[in-house]
Amino acid sequence: VAHWQAERCLAATEGETCTACVRHCPTKAISQVDGKRVLDQEKCIGCGACEHYCPARPKAAMSVEGRA
């Protein structure tokens, strides 16, 4: 499942208009509400697209972990 780290997100910390994670999620599990990323864990398939396309470096603002 995907997790959002606001402290790494360019939109949250730098005021950038980045929506890479929202645009690239194939199941539309990520939405943007008031500049924050909202994740629908039921829709998330853990594909990692959000983490891959996130431009934040050295670590992406999105991370994907396996379900417990």
Side-chain angles (χ1 to χ4, degrees), residues 8-24:
R8 296 182 189 162
C9 182
L10 298 177
T13 61
E14 304 293 327
E16 300 284 331
T17 55
C18 179
T19 57
C21 58
V22 176
R23 288 191 326 264
H24 291 285

Side-chain angles (χ1 to χ4, degrees), residues 7-58:
E7 67 277 2
R8 296 182 189 162
C9 182
L10 298 177
T13 61
E14 304 293 327
E16 300 284 331
T17 55
C18 179
T19 57
C21 58
V22 176
R23 288 191 326 264
H24 291 285
C25 180
T27 62
K28 307 298 181 207
I30 306 169
S31 58
Q32 180 175 306
V33 178
D34 295 328
K36 296 179 181 168
R37 302 303 175 260
V38 178
L39 300 152
D40 183 337
Q41 300 296 352
E42 295 298 317
K43 289 183 179 179
C44 180
I45 59 172
C47 68
C50 57
E51 185 173 8
H52 176 76
Y53 286 103
C54 179
R57 296 291 178 258

